[in-house]
């Protein structure tokens, strides 16, 4: 799985950048403590235990100030979710789908969300930004918000929108959004020292000047703190830019894996490069999200993205600098003027009043299988909440039942996609209503101990996504456990999966042993499914969450062998697969690629089932 190797490499580079950021904080604290020795009276230094003790204590105080401010900012952003970031830039919700271009964007985002196995993010628009740009914010998939500029919505076609959305979803699956919010928090803490120096420099809040009347001392202290904070902020911005460039390269490669065609993202990057603004945002807070956007036009040292020509050439190797300059020259010509070197004039864009065609790829997604009336239900928060309860198996309230009727009419493979489509509407509900919805879901889940595996997985995924929407800061998984430490949990997990997805005991045993051989080569064990299986599966998943990414990946590979054992993918197996990847934060692009290869092998054997094809297309 090359995707996971690239992701691990990006994580290593990111950890290095975070270590350098921590070093900057320590150097700032040390410099501030050294300044304290210069400005503090001799009596205070003696009271603190001498120069060495004063240096340590004041250093710890400054470190605590920076860390405390950073932690507070991260918690604030995590508690508010991704919507807080986009609203700070003046973004407005893009819920109305009457405009053809808006409806096209909603379709593209829904397709990508269903392919990735994550909740559909809520869409926002920056109406005052004519540049072509986009970014996704949030602490995790369940509270993600996707924001596009007016220029991106108006100037990008469907293939280019797919490339842009796939790029942003790659950030979502790679955990970049959580990193982005943490970087924002640490930059806030570091800038606090510079802000404190600015206040003292301006002689507005200095207690020293009011008590002693020594204006010069306050001015000098403010100047020095401003210099220390400014140097720290300079270095922190350099580190932030380096971390962002590393993640952008991975996101570009992952976007191609999503869409299976690099041309869409490459053309979108060409339009960004040729546009007069080159992705530049006008908002005064735009610099704070520079590391989150699709395209950045910052200076070379602080550039949060690789050069756009380099990014295009990774996607389209034959593209050169001359072609880029030609595109920029053509973009400066008014509509109707011939292209450079006597080319034909550009075609006029289609009027927005004309319904845009649906891409052929959409015919293979679950969106086409849903009736129009159900799409309307999914856009209404209250109706979407009732539908979500029915999907999780919760009995309807008195006077309800409409959601249950919709669920009964759906094919089993469409239940999870429909659940993901309800999230944008449900997130519009007040927090007390969301809490009550979660309580009802848990009560209904506990009252139905005989749920089949498919419905169990669906209910678990829904509950976890709602919890993540209510408390985004809890979306954290940083286990470092070894695979050998969770061997019993892995065997329990495989045994439940084999028993619940196979009617024949011999077939279940064969699938179980294949999975064990893949994950634990040479291990001899017996096939013994636990009774009852629900609490055993709950405990196994909790233990697997403590594993490292590499160990979780090995367990995933064994589960894939178990699924492929009978040469068909059943709905219950797919839902367990989705549950495993959702709980343990493993990316779906690699999973989709693996299953596609397995499906090709089954096709060559002549044993490919109709259920397999239907499920694969739903990924």
């Amino acid at each position: 799985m090359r995707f996971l190797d690239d992701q691990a490499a990006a994580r290593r580079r990111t950890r290095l950048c975070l270590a350098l950021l921590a070093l900057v904080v320590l150097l700032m604290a040390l410099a501030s403590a050294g300044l304290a020795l210069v400005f503090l009276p001799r009596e205070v230094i003696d009271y603190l235990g001498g120069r060495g003790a004063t240096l340590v204590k004041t250093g710890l105080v400054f470190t605590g100030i920076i860390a405390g401010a950073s932690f507070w900012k991260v918690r604030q952003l995590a508690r508010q979710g991704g919507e807080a970031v986009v609203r700070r830039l003046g973004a407005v919700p893009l819920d109305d789908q009457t405009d053809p271009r808006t409806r096209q964007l909603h379709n593209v985002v829904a397709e990508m969300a269903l392919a990735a196995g994550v909740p559909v993010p809520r869409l926002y628009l920056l109406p005052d930004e004519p540049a072509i740009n986009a970014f996704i914010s949030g602490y995790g998939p369940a509270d993600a918000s996707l924001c596009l500029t007016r220029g991106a919505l108006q100037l990008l076609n469907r293939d280019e929108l797919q490339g842009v959305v796939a790029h942003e979803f790659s950030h979502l699956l790679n955990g970049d959004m959580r990193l982005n919010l943490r970087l924002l928090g640490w930059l806030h803490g570091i800038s606090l020292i510079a802000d404190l120096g600015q206040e003292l420099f301006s002689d507005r809040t200095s207690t020293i000047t009011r008590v002693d009347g020594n204006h010069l001392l306050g001015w000098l202290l403010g100047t020095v703190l401003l210099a220390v904070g400014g140097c720290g902020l300079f270095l922190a911005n350099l580190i932030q830019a380096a971390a962002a460039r590393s993640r952008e390269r991975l996101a570009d490669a992952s976007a191609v894996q999503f869409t299976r065609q690099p041309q869409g993202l490459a053309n979108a990057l060409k339009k960004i490069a040729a546009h007069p603004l080159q992705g530049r945002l006008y908002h005064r807070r735009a610099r704070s999200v520079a590391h989150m956007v699709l395209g950045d036009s910052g200076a070379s040292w602080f550039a949060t993205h690789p050069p756009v020509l380099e990014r295009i050439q990774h996607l389209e190797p034959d593209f050169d600098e001359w072609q880029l300059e030609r595109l920029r020259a053509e973009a400066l010509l008014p509509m109707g003027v011939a292209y450079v070197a006597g080319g034909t004039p550009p075609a006029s864009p289609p009027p927005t009043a004309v319904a845009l065609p649906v891409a052929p790829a959409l015919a293979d997604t679950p969106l086409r299988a849903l009736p129009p009336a159900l799409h309307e239900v999914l856009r209404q928060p209250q109706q979407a909440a009732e539908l979500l309860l029915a999907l999780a198996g919760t009995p309807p309230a008195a006077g309800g039942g409409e959601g249950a009727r919709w669920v009964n009419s759906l094919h089993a493979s469409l239940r999870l996609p429909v659940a993901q489509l309800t999230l944008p509407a449900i997130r519009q509900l007040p927090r007390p209503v969301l809490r009550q919805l979660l309580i009802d879901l848990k009560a209904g889940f506990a009252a139905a101990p005989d749920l089949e595996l498919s419905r169990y997985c669906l209910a678990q995924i829904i509950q976890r996504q709602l919890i993540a929407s209510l408390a985004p800061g809890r979306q954290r998984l940083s286990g470092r456990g070894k695979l050998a430490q969770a061997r019993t949990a892995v065997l329990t997990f495989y045994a439940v999966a084999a028993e619940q997805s196979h009617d024949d005991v011999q077939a279940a045993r064969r699938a179980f042993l294949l999975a064990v051989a893949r994950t634990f080569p040479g291990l001899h064990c017996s096939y013994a499914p636990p009774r009852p299986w629900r609490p055993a599966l709950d405990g196994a998943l909790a233990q697997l969450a403590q594993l490292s990414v590499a160990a979780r990946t090995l367990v995933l590979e064994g589960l894939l062998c178990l699924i492929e054992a009978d040469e068909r993918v059943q709905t219950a197996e797919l839902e367990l697969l989705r549950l495993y990847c959702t709980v343990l934060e493993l990316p779906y692009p690699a999973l989709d690629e693996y299953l596609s290869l397995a499906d090709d092998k089954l096709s060559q054997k002549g044993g490919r089932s109709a259920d397999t094809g239907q499920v694969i297309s739903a990924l």
Side-chain angles (χ1 to χ4, degrees):
M1 295 183 180
R2 181 61 186 170
F3 177 84
L4 293 175
D5 294 339
D6 293 341
Q7 190 182 39
R11 282 198 181 99
R12 288 193 296 270
R13 290 191 293 266
T14 302
R15 282 195 293 268
L16 175 61
C17 291
L18 292 178
L20 292 175
L21 191 61
L23 180 62
V24 168
V25 173
L26 291 177
L27 290 177
M28 288 181 61
L30 184 62
S32 301
L35 293 174
L37 294 178
V38 177
F39 288 98
L40 287 177
R42 180 67 185 179
E43 295 80 4
V44 176
I45 295 176
D46 293 338
Y47 176 78
L48 293 176
R51 297 180 66 86
T54 302
L55 184 67
V56 173
K57 292 177 181 179
T58 52
L60 290 175
V61 168
F62 277 102
T63 303
I65 292 174
I66 297 174
S70 302
F71 178 78
W72 174 81
K73 189 65 175 180
V74 170
R75 294 296 298 174
Q76 180 191 45
L77 293 173
R79 186 168 54 251
Q80 295 174 343
E83 295 183 3
V85 177
V86 298
R87 289 186 182 275
R88 287 176 66 244
L89 297 180
V92 296
L94 200 61
D95 298 328
D96 186 15
Q97 299 188 29
T98 56
D99 181 72
R101 292 192 179 276
T102 303
R103 187 166 59 252
Q104 175 180 257
L105 176 62
H106 275 269
N107 287 338
V108 169
V109 173
E111 293 169 25
M112 291 296 169
L114 297 182
V118 298
V120 180
R122 194 175 182 188
L123 296 182
Y124 283 84
L125 178 70
L126 293 172
D128 300 326
E129 299 289 355
I132 302 174
N133 224 324
F135 69 94
I136 193 166
S137 67
Y139 208 78
D143 73 313
S145 296
L146 179 61
C147 184
L148 279 81
T149 62
R150 174 170 54 87
L153 185 63
Q154 292 179 346
L155 300 177
L156 298 182
N157 60 35
R158 197 181 200 283
D159 289 340
E160 293 160 355
L161 280 175
Q162 277 188 330
V164 169
V165 173
H167 175 95
E168 300 305 326
F169 267 75
S170 299
H171 285 304
L172 179 68
L173 290 174
N174 295 340
D176 296 345
M177 299 191 309
R178 190 178 306 166
L179 173 66
N180 289 337
L181 291 184
R182 289 175 179 173
L183 286 174
L184 286 176
W186 279 106
L187 287 175
H188 173 79
I190 292 173
S191 65
L192 191 65
I193 301 298
D195 294 340
L196 178 61
Q198 178 66 32
E199 290 294 328
L200 293 175
F201 182 81
S202 60
D203 196 23
R204 289 180 295 177
T205 61
S206 174
T207 57
I208 298 177
T209 59
R210 288 200 293 267
V211 174
D212 299 337
N214 191 348
H215 294 270
L216 180 61
L217 181 62
W219 183 83
L220 288 175
L221 181 60
T223 302
V224 174
L225 285 178
L226 186 61
V228 171
C231 291
L233 199 58
F234 174 82
L235 294 175
N237 278 317
L238 285 179
I239 295 171
Q240 178 204 39
R245 287 195 296 270
S246 173
R247 311 299 285 199
E248 287 298 323
R249 291 187 179 95
L250 178 60
D252 285 345
S254 303
V256 176
Q257 193 169 14
F258 259 121
T259 60
R260 307 298 187 199
Q261 51 119 1
Q263 202 59 44
L265 179 59
N267 289 340
L269 291 174
K270 291 176 187 177
K271 286 188 176 180
I272 292 176
H275 195 279
L277 294 177
Q278 296 186 16
R280 186 179 298 108
L281 302 181
Y282 283 123
H283 199 278
R284 58 187 178 89
R285 294 194 180 101
R287 192 62 202 168
S288 65
V289 297
H291 59 294
M292 301 169 65
V293 297
L294 172 68
D296 178 44
S297 58
S300 57
W301 278 20
F302 296 100
T304 56
H305 295 61
V308 66
L309 179 60
E310 175 186 325
R311 297 174 66 186
I312 297 173
Q313 287 175 338
H314 274 103
L315 301 170
E316 192 176 314
D318 295 335
F319 192 82
D320 55 30
E321 187 174 1
W322 180 86
Q323 290 174 288
L324 180 60
E325 294 300 326
R326 183 174 185 270
L327 288 175
R328 286 173 175 168
E330 292 169 353
L332 297 176
L333 296 178
M335 187 65 66
V337 177
Y339 271 12
V340 175
T344 57
S348 301
T352 57
V354 178
L356 297 176
V358 177
L362 187 58
D364 296 329
T365 66
L367 290 177
R368 297 287 289 182
L370 302 181
L374 182 56
H375 282 284
E376 293 299 324
V377 171
L378 295 173
R379 298 189 188 108
Q380 305 301 321
Q382 292 293 343
Q383 297 182 34
E386 182 182 344
L387 180 60
L388 196 65
L389 287 172
L391 286 167
T394 303
E402 184 67 24
R405 286 190 288 272
W406 276 116
V407 171
N408 292 333
S409 65
L410 289 175
H411 187 274
S413 63
L414 294 176
R415 289 172 183 166
L416 183 57
V418 170
Q420 293 167 346
L421 291 171
T422 62
L423 263 296
I426 287 177
R427 283 170 55 188
Q428 301 177 37
L429 294 172
R431 291 183 66 84
V433 178
L434 282 176
R435 291 193 188 96
Q436 185 59 46
L437 179 61
L438 181 59
I439 292 173
D440 294 341
L441 281 171
K442 290 184 175 180
F445 184 67
D450 56 344
L451 277 179
E452 60 181 2
L453 180 62
S454 178
R455 299 298 288 271
Y456 164 88
C457 296
L458 180 60
Q460 285 278 31
I461 292 173
I462 291 173
Q463 286 187 40
R464 292 174 185 274
Q465 291 176 350
L466 276 181
I467 292 173
S469 297
L470 286 168
R474 296 182 182 177
Q475 301 181 69
R476 180 173 55 190
L477 191 65
S478 56
R480 299 181 181 274
K482 303 296 183 181
L483 187 61
Q485 299 171 351
R487 188 174 68 180
T488 303
V490 174
L491 296 180
T492 301
F493 178 66
Y494 288 160
V496 172
E499 181 191 34
Q500 295 296 317
S501 56
H502 295 84
D503 296 329
D504 182 62
V505 177
Q506 294 301 324
R509 179 180 290 108
R510 177 177 177 271
F512 169 79
L513 294 177
L514 283 173
V516 173
R518 175 70 177 185
T519 309
F520 302 103
L523 176 66
H524 299 281
C525 61
S526 59
Y527 169 63
R531 299 284 189 276
W533 64 266
R534 269 180 58 171
L537 183 56
D538 289 338
L541 288 174
Q543 293 184 51
L544 294 178
Q546 306 302 318
L547 296 177
S548 64
V549 175
R552 282 180 260 148
T553 304
L554 288 175
V555 178
L556 172 61
E557 292 178 357
L559 181 58
L560 292 170
C561 287
L562 186 150
I563 291 173
E564 191 189 0
D566 59 354
E567 299 186 350
R568 63 192 309 265
V569 180
Q570 301 183 31
T571 300
E573 295 172 325
L574 177 65
E575 301 301 346
L576 181 62
L577 207 56
R578 290 174 186 248
L579 173 63
Y580 180 81
C581 292
T582 299
V583 173
L584 303 185
E585 296 184 353
L586 290 176
Y588 261 86
L591 171 66
D592 177 59
E593 179 178 331
Y594 187 98
L595 286 179
S596 297
L597 293 174
D599 193 47
D600 289 341
K601 290 191 292 184
L602 294 180
S603 299
Q604 294 171 3
K605 294 178 183 179
R608 183 180 186 274
S609 66
D611 196 17
T612 305
Q614 183 176 11
V615 168
I616 294 297
S617 65
L619 281 176

